[in-house]
Amino acid sequence: MLKGYSDNEFYEETMVLFNQMKSRDVRPNCFTFPFVIKSCKMLLALGEGKKVHCFVIKSGFEMNRFISIAMIDMYSTVGAVKLAHQVFDGMPERNIVAWTAIISGYILSADIKNARRLFEITPDRDVIIWNIMISGYISNGDMVTARKLFNEMPNRDLMAFNTILIGYFNNENFEEGEKFFDEMTEKNVFSWNGLIGGYARKGRFSEVLGAFKRMLKESSDIPPNDATLVSVLTACSRLGALALGKWVHVYAVDNGYKQNIYVGNGLIDMYSKCGNIENAIEVFNCMNSKDLITWNSIIGGLAMHGRGNDALIIFDQMRNANKKPDGITFVGVLCACTHMGLTEKGFSYFNLMTEDYSIVPEIEHFGCMADLLARAGFLNEAVDYIRKMPIQADAVIWSALLGACRTYRNIQLAEIALEKLIELEPKNPANYIMLSNIYKDMGRWEDVARLKVAMKETGVRKPTGCSLIEVNDGVTEFYSLDEKHPQREEIYRVLNGLVELLKSPSYDSGIDELEEGYVY
């Protein structure tokens, strides 16, 4: 029973059962304690761990190697590395597992100095303990020492190479990481995931797709796993690469990942952000098991596509399935209410979040409520709500109010919103442009000119427009009036041809209004 609870992560139940066992005077044996000690570790229950330790001593198992190693691991995890060292010192015989446990404990406590001291006196060091020590320096941001220790390591295995590779990317040393990857004579899926995941974590999504294609081309005998596919789907969603995302979907289905929950979540997110919400719904409906991320992804995706009613229906299904929502869930729910103009319902969901689920509202939730009021036309109420918020409003909230002011042609509140935005984002030209558009709508051209002068005086400039488009299984980036694109002559030749075609008598498209600056 203890093993069953522990293996299935019912750690509180493990402790309750152990206390029942003691109350009935059932004597534990050496197999009992590791499950209980593990539960103390997972619950971060230092007090309970100490009580179990005392019971270990009273029961005569203080010298048991397996129990001692479990105690070292538990004390290290809960931040009591000195107690872990006391257990280590009390062991009559220490094998490599014990040495690994105590060194890991010091690394977990960010005490790299003591970890290295113990590492140097460890007898018969194996590959695992070398990798742990190298990982310690990597987590400490010291790639120089990590690489030096790696170079000294005897019998380096592929895991050690992957550790250094991931270390370079985690410490944002992409140049060395790419160089190290190319120098590796042997690679596995974890090597490729280190490269792809490193790019993904730092938002270099074009490189993610490039590395993935390189993996398929250069290492056809190393198939991608679920982690690879999730990283690629994330990149597709950020770049709008729907065609490649669909290819990944087909690949996942054909290679046994159809019911993989992580891949399923990635597909829902990718389809939602690439504008294909119907496919996202289809993936959601086909998933046999769903976790919190699954529900959050589909609710947020539906809300983002303006399908607020469907998002709220899914939320009701989630609650009926006894899945507990979190703060991200309610961001999607509140956004759904915002798009539908359901002011009263939005406040009822906000109260449900705080009262029934005891979720502390964050800036995103307050922002949704302010946006809900503003979009519904309650601009004064929105400003009052923003000023009474327990958290200082950020630029996103004031921008939402500024946008609503344009819809409802409220100059006075728009100017107030711009003042706040200038304080928060003095160099963001979008704020000036939004107010300028409001002035234009009202025919106040002197104010438009005044804003342009203010932008020049503050040095604010509108950034060049940039777009991404899928071309030949790749994503191409181009700018407005792009003069630096490697195929610019060919692109502008085609563009000029299209312009001449549209100017022909058979087309009545108002092309004469096209600005000359857009013709090469």
Side-chain angles (χ1 to χ4, degrees):
M1 286 300 297
L2 288 168
K3 182 180 187 299
Y5 277 138
S6 178
D7 288 351
N8 288 279
E9 300 181 3
F10 293 114
Y11 302 119
E12 292 182 358
E13 289 82 353
T14 302
M15 300 305 300
V16 170
L17 189 68
F18 178 64
N19 288 328
Q20 290 177 359
M21 179 180 177
K22 287 195 299 179
S23 67
R24 298 187 185 187
D25 293 326
V26 179
R27 182 177 174 82
N29 62 18
C30 62
F31 300 105
T32 308
F33 288 108
F35 304 124
V36 182
I37 295 168
K38 176 187 174 183
S39 298
C40 293
K41 178 186 80 169
M42 300 307 295
L43 294 170
L44 301 178
L46 177 58
E48 288 297 318
K50 288 181 177 179
K51 291 178 183 178
V52 174
H53 190 181
C54 290
F55 196 63
V56 166
I57 296 171
K58 291 178 181 178
S59 302
F61 293 105
E62 185 180 8
M63 299 300 174
N64 183 281
R65 183 189 301 169
F66 299 104
I67 294 174
S68 295
I69 291 171
M71 292 299 305
I72 293 170
D73 187 35
M74 184 273 294
Y75 279 135
S76 298
T77 302
V78 300
V81 69
K82 289 184 178 180
L83 292 176
H85 205 140
Q86 289 178 13
V87 175
F88 178 78
D89 286 339
M91 294 178 67
E93 294 182 11
R94 306 176 189 123
N95 60 5
I96 189 62
V97 180
W99 284 96
T100 303
I102 190 62
I103 290 172
S104 298
Y106 275 110
I107 289 174
L108 194 62
S109 300
D111 189 347
I112 197 76
K113 183 177 180 181
N114 273 315
R116 182 61 183 267
R117 179 179 59 82
L118 289 168
F119 173 79
E120 293 295 343
I121 62 174
T122 301
D124 302 323
R125 294 177 294 197
D126 63 2
V127 172
I128 295 174
I129 205 165
W130 275 90
N131 276 323
I132 288 173
M133 194 65 241
I134 291 169
S135 297
Y137 283 112
I138 291 173
S139 61
N140 209 38
D142 188 355
M143 279 305 302
V144 174
T145 307
R147 181 63 188 270
K148 182 180 179 182
L149 194 61
F150 169 81
N151 293 338
E152 297 172 359
M153 179 181 176
N155 303 318
R156 291 175 296 191
D157 63 353
L158 185 53
M159 182 173 69
F161 279 88
N162 288 341
T163 299
I164 290 292
L165 174 69
I166 294 170
Y168 277 127
F169 285 106
N170 285 349
N171 286 282
E172 300 188 42
N173 195 335
F174 287 90
E175 185 176 344
E176 285 297 322
E178 291 163 343
K179 180 181 176 182
F180 187 81
F181 179 84
D182 291 336
E183 291 173 354
M184 291 173 62
T185 56
E186 182 185 358
K187 300 179 182 72
N188 61 8
V189 68
F190 301 105
S191 311
W192 285 101
N193 285 353
L195 180 68
I196 293 170
Y199 287 136
R201 282 190 296 274
K202 299 303 176 184
R204 297 174 60 165
F205 298 114
S206 295
E207 286 93 333
V208 169
L209 301 188
F212 178 61
K213 291 173 185 176
R214 181 182 168 190
M215 175 185 184
L216 297 175
K217 182 179 179 181
E218 296 181 8
S219 301
S220 57
D221 58 329
I222 304 175
N225 63 9
D226 56 351
T228 320
L229 299 180
V230 169
S231 293
V232 174
L233 287 171
T234 300
C236 290
S237 69
R238 296 299 182 91
L239 296 173
L242 180 59
L244 182 59
K246 287 182 175 179
W247 184 91
V248 173
H249 189 179
V250 173
Y251 180 92
V253 172
D254 291 344
N255 289 273
Y257 292 106
K258 183 177 181 179
Q259 290 302 327
N260 184 289
I261 196 167
Y262 305 109
V263 175
N265 293 343
L267 285 169
I268 293 171
D269 181 66
M270 183 274 297
Y271 280 126
S272 296
K273 291 178 179 174
C274 289
N276 196 330
I277 191 62
E278 292 299 334
N279 279 14
I281 295 170
E282 183 180 347
V283 172
F284 175 81
N285 290 333
C286 290
M287 292 176 68
N288 293 335
S289 60
K290 302 176 177 70
D291 62 7
L292 181 60
I293 296 173
T294 314
W295 293 97
N296 287 350
S297 297
I298 194 64
I299 290 172
L302 288 166
M304 181 173 60
H305 282 264
R307 296 177 58 168
N309 190 53
D310 292 332
L312 297 181
I313 290 172
I314 294 292
F315 177 65
D316 289 337
Q317 292 177 7
M318 177 183 181
R319 296 179 66 198
N320 292 334
N322 294 320
K323 293 289 185 180
K324 186 178 179 181
D326 64 357
I328 297 174
T329 316
F330 279 99
V331 169
V333 170
L334 295 175
C335 284
C337 294
T338 298
H339 288 299
M340 296 172 67
L342 301 175
T343 309
E344 291 185 8
K345 203 163 189 177
F347 275 94
S348 69
Y349 279 120
F350 187 87
N351 293 333
L352 177 71
M353 176 184 75
T354 57
E355 295 174 7
D356 288 28
Y357 292 102
S358 301
I359 297 173
V360 178
E362 297 184 13
I363 188 70
E364 294 83 4
H365 303 106
F366 289 115
C368 287
M369 301 311 296
D371 193 23
L372 177 61
L373 289 168
R375 289 196 187 207
F378 302 113
L379 297 180
N380 291 317
E381 289 84 350
V383 173
D384 187 55
Y385 184 86
I386 292 171
R387 287 172 173 167
K388 291 180 179 179
M389 281 166 41
I391 304 175
Q392 184 177 1
D394 61 5
V396 176
I397 294 176
W398 287 110
S399 295
L401 178 64
L402 186 59
C405 287
R406 182 181 186 185
T407 302
Y408 293 100
R409 302 167 73 88
N410 191 317
I411 294 290
Q412 182 181 3
L413 292 183
E415 291 174 340
I416 292 173
L418 181 62
E419 287 179 9
K420 295 293 184 180
L421 285 166
I422 291 173
E423 292 177 9
L424 296 167
E425 296 180 334
K427 296 297 183 180
N428 187 350
N431 303 322
Y432 293 91
I433 293 167
M434 177 66 77
L435 183 57
S436 177
N437 289 333
I438 297 174
Y439 284 140
K440 286 179 183 178
D441 295 341
M442 302 290 289
R444 295 173 55 167
W445 301 105
E446 291 183 3
D447 290 318
V448 172
R450 177 174 55 83
L451 268 186
K452 287 185 177 180
V453 172
M455 288 179 66
K456 289 181 180 179
E457 289 178 350
T458 55
V460 175
R461 295 184 62 185
K462 182 180 178 181
T464 305
C466 176
S467 297
L468 298 169
I469 188 171
E470 283 186 278
V471 179
N472 297 329
D473 295 326
V475 176
T476 297
E477 185 178 62
F478 62 93
Y479 296 86
S480 175
L481 303 176
D482 197 343
E483 294 290 330
K484 297 182 179 179
H485 195 282
Q487 295 176 280
R488 69 185 184 91
E489 292 186 8
E490 181 181 352
I491 291 170
Y492 281 115
R493 191 182 305 118
V494 173
L495 177 62
N496 289 335
L498 291 172
V499 170
E500 292 301 320
L501 177 65
L502 290 171
K503 283 182 177 179
S504 65
S506 59
Y507 284 89
D508 183 15
S509 58
I511 195 63
D512 292 334
E513 297 176 4
L514 184 69
E515 293 183 24
E516 291 299 322
Y518 285 93
V519 182
Y520 177 67

